[in-house]
């Protein structure tokens, strides 16, 4: 089964998507929402590409490696933005995004 080969990356992508969705919603609750705008946008981008990458890997798509390269870049950008904000949900999101970026990079290099 194609997904078994990439299961750790699939799991990391789903965990990252969930955390990014949580972070985006939590950012909307912050006092100064305008200062969180880029974080919210990147959270949404990251969550979507993580879901997409996981589904490509699960079905063994020939484009999964290329998509995981892009996913790693988006996760890294999201991690860097989240790390700038000293609220717990952003700090945790940055950590999860970094882990996902590492998994996606490993997967992409396996091509």
């Amino acid at each position: 089964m194609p997904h078994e080969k990439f299961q750790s990356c699939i799991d990391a992508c789903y965990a990252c998507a969930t955390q990014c969705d949580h972070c985006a919603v939590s950012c909307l609750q912050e006092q100064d929402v305008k200062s969180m705008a880029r974080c919210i946008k990147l959270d949404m981008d990251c969550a979507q590409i993580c879901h997409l990458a996981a589904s490509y890997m699960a079905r063994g798509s020939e484009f999964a490696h290329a998509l995981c390269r892009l996913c790693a870049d988006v996760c890294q950008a999201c991690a860097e933005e989240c790390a700038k904000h000293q609220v717990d949900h952003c700090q945790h999101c940055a950590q999860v995004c970094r882990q996902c970026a590492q998994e996606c990079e490993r997967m992409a290099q396996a091509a």
Side-chain angles (χ1 to χ4, degrees):
M1 298 185 115
H3 72 281
E4 291 172 345
K5 184 176 176 185
F6 310 121
Q7 194 60 52
S8 65
C9 191
I10 292 169
D11 292 345
C13 284
Y14 281 133
C16 189
T18 300
Q19 186 58 42
C20 285
D21 282 339
H22 171 73
C23 188
V25 169
S26 296
C27 285
L28 290 171
Q29 306 298 318
E30 293 296 330
Q31 196 80 25
D32 183 12
V33 176
K34 280 189 174 184
S35 70
M36 309 298 279
R38 184 162 191 267
C39 188
I40 294 166
K41 289 177 184 178
L42 284 170
D43 282 335
M44 292 181 347
D45 285 349
C46 193
Q48 277 203 315
I49 198 161
C50 284
H51 277 293
L52 188 61
S55 66
Y56 272 49
M57 286 183 280
R59 66 178 174 264
S61 171
E62 65 185 280
F63 299 104
H65 294 283
L67 188 57
C68 282
R69 265 188 210 91
L70 180 58
C71 189
D73 291 345
V74 175
C75 287
Q76 190 57 43
C78 191
E80 289 170 9
E81 181 61 29
C82 283
K84 294 176 183 177
H85 304 284
Q86 295 307 311
V87 290
D88 288 342
H89 59 85
C90 285
Q91 291 298 308
H92 184 63
C93 190
Q95 180 183 11
V96 173
C97 285
R98 282 188 204 102
Q99 291 168 347
C100 188
Q102 289 174 349
E103 284 288 334
C104 284
E105 195 60 47
R106 268 196 288 276
M107 192 285 193
Q109 290 175 359

